[in-house]
């Protein structure tokens, strides 16, 4: 798809148009970002949640490869460029009020999407601890597929 | 589960503890909110993305019914209280750096989760228009299950 990098997306219109129209007019927040939820195209498993600025969304739509905005590095983040786990976008959806996008992807390499080497960032579930207070239990079925220290260096 | 409303969650610890520990210490943003992704517990379909403050998360954990923070109304939002589509939380997960929660839910009533009456807020996919630019195509398999004007009034 072709998107001008000068004027990538039209400004959001009135509510009815935003919610039922066919114009992609994402509502970036005051920080210039939109939330992106990324799921496995095959089984819908939620893999990660990140953010995109206008340029990251434009690159994602144009190339079919997921690009995000790294808030810590303040830079465009072509996911998987270091680890080899690039995400091919099979489908891109947007929500009712156009302030969140949903990416259905196939992940290359060893299929890790989390910086810890796991398939999904959501590897811990809230359970009830012995004192009745919430504890986190790690999903042992999602084992790290790479060693983050080897791939990213020891400060990862 | 029992959570004190005065000190609901411990402050986030160092990175290693945050990412691999068993302590639920959500990282609320500068606005006091954390992103919440809600999926169908049966087939993982992404239903909606919303936000929670500390109290909404506490209520969700304690009651097992999804509570969010309505940014437009600036109030706790017990999802489905008006429409009857309350969400029972089957599992609650948190991501690697604890700044996003994932709810796996079963929705009561007619199973709508979007204010437009649809099952999911993500009812439009980005496709390539005849001019080569992106257009939105509505997923006709997700038809409104209620009339928003009847349920919420004409300004919904």
């Amino acid at each position: 798809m072709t998107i001008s990098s000068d004027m990538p997306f039209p400004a959001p219109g009135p509510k009815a148009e935003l919610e039922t129209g066919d114009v992609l007019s994402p509502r970036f927040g005051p920080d210039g970002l939109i939330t992106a939820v990324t799921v496995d195209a095959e089984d819908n498993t939620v893999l990660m949640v990140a953010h995109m600025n206008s340029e990251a969304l434009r690159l994602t739509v144009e190339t079919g490869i997921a690009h995000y905005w790294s808030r810590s590095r303040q830079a465009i983040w072509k996911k998987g460029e270091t680890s080899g786990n690039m995400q091919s976008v099979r489908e891109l959806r947007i929500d009712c009020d156009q302030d969140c996008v949903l990416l259905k992807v196939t992940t290359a390499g060893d299929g890790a999407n989390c910086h810890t080497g796991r398939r999904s960032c959501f590897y811990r579930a809230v359970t009830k601890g012995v004192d009745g207070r919430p504890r986190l239990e790690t999903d042992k079925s999602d084992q790290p597929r790479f060693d983050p220290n080897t791939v990213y260096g020891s400060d990862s």
Side-chain angles (χ1 to χ4, degrees), chain A residues 55-139:
Chain A
E55 177 65 2
L57 181 58
R58 187 185 75 78
L59 287 167
T60 300
V61 174
E62 282 222 340
T63 66
I65 301 291
H67 290 70
Y68 304 95
W69 176 256
S70 167
R71 292 184 298 178
S72 54
R73 292 197 305 273
Q74 290 283 302
I76 292 283
W77 167 32
K78 187 177 180 181
K79 173 77 188 161
E81 211 168 18
T82 307
S83 66
N85 301 128
M86 287 202 286
Q87 298 170 335
S88 295
V89 181
R90 303 299 173 203
E91 191 175 66
L92 180 65
R93 291 193 170 215
I94 195 156
D95 75 343
C96 44
D97 58 357
Q98 300 208 31
D99 69 354
C100 185
V101 293
L102 170 64
L103 286 74
K104 300 188 179 190
V105 306
T106 305
T107 307
D110 48 30
N113 296 280
C114 181
H115 77 287
T116 64
R118 294 177 176 85
R119 180 187 177 210
S120 166
C121 294
F122 294 90
Y123 50 84
R124 285 174 298 178
V126 178
T127 56
K128 190 175 178 174
V130 284
D131 56 358
R133 290 179 54 82
R135 301 307 279 180
L136 297 179
E137 191 172 308
T138 300
D139 179 351

Side-chain angles (χ1 to χ4, degrees), chain A residues 15-32:
Chain A
K15 186 169 149 65
E17 198 178 297
L18 198 69
E19 295 188 350
T20 57
D22 66 352
V23 178
L24 176 62
S25 49
R27 288 171 56 227
F28 298 96
D31 54 1

